[in-house]
Amino acid sequence: MLRNTTSLFLLLGGVALSLGISITPIVREDLMKDDYLYWTSGNDMAETGRHVWFGNGHPIGVNIWALGQPDNGAGLEHCDHIGYRRVVTDKKGLNDNQCSTKLRFICEVPQPYTASFVIWK
């Protein structure tokens, strides 16, 4: 599922959400307030156990993972989503999951450039 979604994002000129420097802590917290899970661009498909953001290849920081994650459950979890918690009292965070799982997603596109033109008659 996520692989098909990633292809769509690339056609639109974007990638799945990365929770890096460009996403403010306020936006991250907003994503944690609802009860939905959202795919991010995080994955360890290139090297199992080394989770990186698809858009820029930067490693995922350890401070945004849910408690006990990533765990590569059953050796099949290689795509990362946000909003997971094992029990209600845990802080929500990133979790690795099977890439075929159907979840919501957010497409991140580059900020457009603004250009000004002066035309002389």
Side-chain angles (χ1 to χ4, degrees), residues 12-41:
L12 296 172
V15 295
L17 181 67
S18 298
L19 299 172
I21 297 168
S22 65
I23 303 298
T24 66
I26 294 170
V27 172
R28 272 182 253 171
E29 290 304 314
D30 283 346
L31 288 173
M32 304 286 201
K33 287 180 184 174
D34 64 33
D35 291 326
Y36 297 108
L37 302 173
Y38 297 93
W39 281 122
T40 68
S41 72

Side-chain angles (χ1 to χ4, degrees), residues 43-59:
N43 68 81
D44 71 343
M45 288 188 248
E47 181 183 339
T48 299
R50 184 175 179 270
H51 290 261
V52 298
W53 298 118
F54 178 80
N56 59 23
H58 292 150

Side-chain angles (χ1 to χ4, degrees), residues 94-111:
L94 276 182
N95 175 49
D96 55 339
N97 203 338
Q98 293 184 28
C99 301
S100 60
T101 304
K102 292 183 180 182
L103 299 176
R104 293 171 181 243
F105 54 84
I106 299 170
C107 184
E108 181 178 9
V109 295
Q111 187 170 357

Side-chain angles (χ1 to χ4, degrees), residues 108-119:
E108 181 178 9
V109 295
Q111 187 170 357
Y113 294 100
T114 302
S116 298
F117 296 94
V118 176
I119 300 174

Side-chain angles (χ1 to χ4, degrees), residues 63-105:
N63 61 338
I64 60 175
W65 288 102
L67 184 64
Q69 299 302 323
D71 64 356
N72 193 20
L76 300 171
E77 298 182 339
H78 300 288
C79 294
D80 306 325
H81 65 84
I82 191 79
Y84 173 81
R85 62 179 164 201
R86 192 174 4 196
V87 294
V88 175
T89 55
D90 284 351
K91 181 180 175 184
K92 290 183 178 182
L94 276 182
N95 175 49
D96 55 339
N97 203 338
Q98 293 184 28
C99 301
S100 60
T101 304
K102 292 183 180 182
L103 299 176
R104 293 171 181 243
F105 54 84

